[in-house]
């Protein structure tokens, strides 16, 4: 058989050749809508690859983006990869210390950004030590600021052959802050991305085809928008991108572009459902939604099913490219009652071919798939991480098992159910908050003896931080003053929604703070401002 390295440029080559007129629609933040197609994206990507080479960039160099979902961002992915570069999508919601760390750690050479992030970029420029060139995707009309993307690539003719190489060459870099310490880089390879893409389009995962109109709500800086911008050109889908996250804009796009497939975190679906219920708007063409990033609430699954929309419940991580499992429907699905369907989908689904899962106890012994035994969830496969970028050691054991930090049980029918989380982090609206950083910041405040941050269920954000504080003897602490202190140390959206004072925190036999016991103690805790309808949908 012929040798055909699995490199991502084959995706856009294929789309250009077979689906050249296939539409890519963008709703920009200023309200305008533009249309392009795969032929134009491929042409722009070639021109960008030439422009990168003209800057002196070479194979393996990291090219960063700080941008929402739009067609120029899409072209830049293929442009960076086509030049043999490594595409580093930066999450603009990280706070300055993290942004400084990751761009310097990645040694990014070029940054392409949205004008909406210009103030952030200007503030970070003195702190980013390796970025030589800044390009703005959508520069203001007055010509002030960095060179615009279209002007930059406009100097090139597009007569360019993609840089070839090994299918195991790196192609993408995403940092995850869902761990302790500094964010960690996950380096995707051409091969791992291609295998993930081939798996993802299948009926049991995203169920994509030439007839699909797909709108990934998940941002392109979140584990590559769960791979949709790679899968859409493979299947020849119409792709709809929105740089604007307001539910009315999104719903209009769904309606006008006849979107059939979409994917996003529960928080965004909650906002959408809330808007649809209030406005009476309908998503008549929508056939399937994929919910992931956090557990899909039962009431949300039910809402979609009752509106004739299939639900795929996906579990995954930045470290798993990100698809680990998704809710494939079993034989006889049409005979399931709605209650049975909701129950089935509320589990996190099954693995596609290419992922292996197991659960282990504290001593590392594999647990039975009996639907009862919960243990640490581990996974392995060709699109699962082996080693973090620039790390000295593998992130897996000698048998390649990667410990996810999630706690789950496996059912006899192959479905996986997340039951808890071993890692000490809080996930709010799809983004991570480090409890340890919050605690360190809190104990730096006069009068705080000990502090613990835990995630509390929140109707809109899935989880929000609660800070539990033990005062030093004889000290009085004003919660507002403590909050103001924290605000100087962490991002605003990390600030705890409430601060509770207790006499003591639970500890394990070895004297370690027991988050498990603390979470149990506060399991019924609710924040005062919870919206009743959202609360209902979250159940
Ligand atoms: P990230 O790397 O930011 O994508 O976060 C991955 C983590 O999000 C996982 O390890 C889980 O803790 C959580 N997660 C992702 N999907 C789900 C899901 N469907 N249900 C519960 N937790 C999830």
């Amino acid at each position: 058989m012929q040798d055909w390295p699995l490199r991502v440029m084959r995706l856009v080559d294929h789309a250009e050749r077979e689906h050249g007129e296939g539409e890519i629609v963008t709703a920009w933040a200023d309200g305008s809508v533009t249309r392009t197609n795969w032929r134009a994206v491929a042409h722009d990507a070639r021109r960008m690859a030439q422009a990168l080479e003209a800057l002196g960039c070479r194979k393996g160099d990291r090219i960063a983006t700080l941008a929402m979902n739009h067609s120029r961002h899409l072209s830049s992915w293929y442009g960076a990869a086509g030049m043999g570069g490594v595409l580093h999508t930066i999450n603009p919601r990280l706070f300055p210390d993290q942004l400084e760390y990751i761009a310097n750690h990645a040694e990014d050479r070029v940054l392409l950004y949205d004008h909406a992030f210009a103030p952030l970029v200007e503030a970070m420029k003195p702190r980013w030590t390796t970025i030589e060139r800044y390009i703005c995707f959508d520069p203001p009309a007055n010509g002030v600021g960095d060179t615009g993307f279209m002007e930059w690539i406009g100097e090139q003719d597009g007569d360019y052959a993609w840089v070839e190489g090994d299918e195991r060459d790196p192609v993408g870099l995403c940092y995850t802050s869902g761990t302790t310490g500094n964010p960690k880089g996950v380096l995707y390879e051409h091969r791992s991305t291609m295998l993930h893409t081939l798996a993802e389009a299948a009926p049991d995962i995203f169920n994509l085809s030439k007839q699909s109109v797909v709108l990934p709500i998940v941002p392109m800086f979140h584990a590559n928008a769960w791979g949709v911008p790679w899968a859409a050109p493979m299947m020849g889908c119409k792709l709809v991108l929105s740089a604007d996250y307001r539910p009315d804009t999104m719903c209009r796009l769904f309606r006008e572009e006849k979107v059939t497939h979409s994917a996003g975190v529960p928080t965004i679906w909650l906002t959408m459902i809330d808007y649809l219920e209030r406005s009476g708007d309908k998503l008549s063409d929508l056939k399937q939604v994929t919910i992931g990033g956090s557990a899909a609430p039962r009431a949300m699954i039910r809402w979609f099913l009752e509106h004739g929309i299939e639900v795929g419940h996906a579990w995954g991580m930045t470290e798993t490219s990100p698809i680990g499992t998704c809710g494939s429907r079993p034989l006889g699905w049409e005979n399931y009652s709605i209650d049975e369907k909701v129950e089935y989908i509320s589990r996190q689904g099954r693995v596609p071919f290419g992922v292996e899962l197991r659960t282990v106890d504290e001593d590392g012994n594999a647990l039975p798939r009996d639907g009862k035994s919960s243990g640490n969830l581990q996974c392995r496969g060709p699109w699962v991480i082996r080693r973090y970028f620039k790390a000295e050691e593998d992130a897996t054991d000698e048998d390649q098992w990667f410990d996810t930090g999630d706690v789950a049980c496996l059912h006899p029918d192959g479905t996986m159910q997340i039951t808890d989380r071993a890692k000490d982090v809080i996930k709010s609206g799809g983004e991570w908050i480090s409890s340890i950083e919050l605690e360190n910041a809190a104990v730096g405040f006069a009068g705080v003896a000990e502090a613990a941050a835990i995630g509390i269920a929140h109707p809109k954000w899935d989880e929000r931080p609660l800070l539990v504080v033990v005062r030093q003897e004889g000290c009085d602490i004003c919660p507002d003053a403590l909050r103001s202190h924290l605000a100087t140390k962490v991002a605003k959206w990390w600030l705890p929604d409430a601060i509770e004072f207790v006499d003591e925190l639970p500890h394990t036999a070895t004297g370690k703070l027991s988050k498990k016991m603390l979470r149990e103690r506060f399991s019924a805790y609710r924040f005062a401002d919870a919206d009743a309808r959202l609360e209902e949908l979250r159940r």
Side-chain angles (χ1 to χ4, degrees):
M1 292 297 134
Q2 300 178 15
D3 193 13
W4 212 70
L6 294 173
R7 289 181 64 91
V8 299
M9 300 318 292
R10 298 196 182 265
L11 296 168
V12 78
D13 282 347
H14 169 79
E16 184 183 28
R17 208 170 42 237
E18 309 297 336
H19 312 290
E21 300 299 316
E23 256 190 322
I24 296 142
V25 181
T26 300
W28 295 86
D30 67 2
S32 60
V33 173
T34 58
R35 282 163 205 281
T36 183
N37 59 33
W38 288 111
R39 188 166 298 130
V41 165
H43 180 61
D44 286 352
R46 282 196 192 90
R47 294 195 295 163
M48 174 172 154
Q50 287 176 306
L52 285 172
E53 286 191 353
L55 290 182
C57 291
R58 294 291 173 263
K59 194 172 176 180
D61 282 347
R62 266 76 71 195
I63 312 299
T65 63
L66 187 74
M68 302 308 286
N69 296 3
H70 52 72
S71 56
R72 288 179 196 159
H73 194 181
L74 179 74
S75 301
S76 79
W77 279 27
Y78 286 100
M83 191 274 314
V86 178
L87 170 80
H88 174 201
T89 46
I90 302 181
N91 181 347
R93 293 175 194 146
L94 298 180
F95 62 92
D97 287 352
Q98 292 174 316
L99 289 170
E100 176 183 345
Y101 174 83
I102 64 169
N104 292 344
H105 185 264
E107 298 174 70
D108 294 329
R109 289 194 64 185
V110 177
L111 176 86
L112 299 104
Y113 66 94
D114 284 356
H115 180 64
F117 302 127
L120 181 61
V121 171
E122 286 308 318
M124 292 305 301
K125 276 183 181 174
R127 299 172 69 173
W128 282 330
T129 54
T130 62
I131 300 177
E132 298 155 38
R133 189 66 197 263
Y134 292 88
I135 305 289
C136 183
F137 277 122
D138 52 344
N142 61 15
V144 175
D146 292 309
T147 311
F149 180 75
M150 294 314 286
E151 186 193 334
W152 179 53
I153 64 170
E155 290 165 10
Q156 308 297 331
D157 60 9
D159 184 9
Y160 184 83
W162 308 128
V163 168
E164 291 297 338
D166 194 273
E167 63 180 24
R168 288 176 198 272
D169 286 343
V171 68
L173 180 61
C174 272
Y175 280 75
T176 171
S177 51
T179 53
T180 45
N182 280 323
K184 294 191 175 81
V186 181
L187 195 63
Y188 303 121
E189 294 168 355
H190 281 268
R191 179 177 187 267
S192 67
T193 306
M194 289 295 281
L195 293 174
H196 180 267
T197 307
L198 286 162
E200 154 168 317
D204 279 345
I205 312 288
F206 279 6
N207 191 18
L208 299 177
S209 75
K210 178 82 177 140
Q211 286 142 42
S212 312
V213 180
V214 53
L215 190 162
I217 306 185
V218 49
M220 289 166 76
F221 53 79
H222 262 184
N224 287 345
W226 301 350
V228 173
W230 304 124
M234 182 176 83
M235 303 310 290
C237 309
K238 173 174 166 181
L239 187 58
V240 184
L241 301 169
S242 184
D244 183 349
Y245 267 45
R246 281 172 302 184
D248 51 340
T249 311
M250 299 266 241
C251 287
R252 185 166 45 81
L253 262 186
F254 271 84
R255 211 177 43 240
E256 290 176 0
E257 302 303 328
K258 301 191 184 313
V259 172
T260 57
H261 291 67
S262 186
V265 297
T267 295
I268 204 84
W269 288 123
L270 214 71
T271 319
M272 294 282 283
I273 293 173
D274 187 49
Y275 171 78
L276 288 165
E277 288 196 339
R278 284 175 207 272
S279 64
D281 214 339
K282 297 230 164 11
L283 304 179
S284 317
D285 298 284
L286 192 58
K287 292 195 173 76
Q288 175 165 334
V289 295
T290 301
I291 309 175
S294 293
R298 279 184 172 73
M300 183 181 291
I301 298 170
R302 181 179 294 278
W303 189 94
F304 280 116
L305 293 178
E306 283 175 352
H307 286 76
I309 300 163
E310 291 286 357
V311 181
H313 184 185
W315 166 88
M317 308 175 69
T318 308
E319 287 90 335
T320 63
S321 297
I323 300 291
T325 59
C326 197
S328 62
R329 291 171 281 276
L331 197 65
W333 184 242
E334 56 287 355
N335 301 325
Y336 276 45
S337 71
I338 197 131
D339 287 346
E340 287 168 334
K341 285 185 176 177
V342 170
E343 204 44 46
Y344 184 90
I345 298 171
S346 69
R347 293 184 196 159
Q348 275 75 1
R350 308 163 57 92
V351 291
F353 173 78
V355 179
E356 290 178 39
L357 288 184
R358 71 170 187 179
T359 50
V360 296
D361 65 16
E362 307 265 286
D363 301 320
N365 303 312
L367 293 167
R369 293 183 169 218
D370 59 5
K372 292 194 291 270
S373 314
S374 271
N376 295 335
L377 180 67
Q378 302 188 330
C379 65
R380 63 181 182 186
W383 59 81
V384 176
I385 191 162
R386 185 166 60 85
R387 182 180 290 204
Y388 289 104
F389 185 50
K390 290 186 178 176
E392 309 261 294
E393 287 172 8
D394 286 354
T396 62
D397 69 12
E398 61 279 11
D399 295 322
Q400 303 255 32
W401 288 108
F402 169 70
D403 200 290
T404 65
D406 289 316
V407 176
C409 77
L410 296 172
H411 289 263
D413 67 356
T415 51
M416 185 272 281
Q417 186 173 13
I418 299 279
T419 53
D420 198 0
R421 191 186 289 151
K423 49 194 170 195
D424 191 10
V425 276
I426 298 160
K427 204 166 199 193
S428 175
E431 306 278 359
W432 292 110
I433 295 176
S434 160
S435 23
I436 293 168
E437 299 237 2
L438 268 179
E439 290 155 9
N440 287 344
V443 291
F445 188 69
V448 174
E450 205 179 0
I454 52 171
I456 294 287
H458 187 281
K460 177 157 183 205
W461 301 109
D462 191 30
E463 286 176 14
R464 287 296 304 156
L466 167 72
L467 187 70
V468 189
V469 173
V470 180
R471 283 175 280 231
Q472 280 168 6
E473 224 174 293
C475 288
D476 203 18
I477 295 174
C478 163
D480 285 345
L482 175 53
R483 276 179 69 83
S484 307
H485 164 78
L486 294 175
T488 64
K489 306 278 175 206
V490 300
K492 204 164 153 237
W493 62 272
W494 278 31
L495 290 177
D497 279 28
I499 300 174
E500 292 291 333
F501 294 96
V502 295
D503 291 338
E504 61 177 330
L505 289 169
H507 292 90
T508 62
T510 53
K512 262 178 69 179
L513 178 68
S514 171
K515 285 290 180 72
K516 196 164 179 276
M517 281 153 78
L518 191 66
R519 279 196 220 109
E520 276 162 20
R521 187 155 137 200
F522 281 89
S523 59
Y525 189 91
R526 288 291 170 270
F527 296 115
D529 64 341
D531 175 316
R533 176 61 189 136
L534 294 186
E535 184 92 68
E536 221 173 273
L537 276 170
R538 260 290 174 210
R539 257 179 231 141

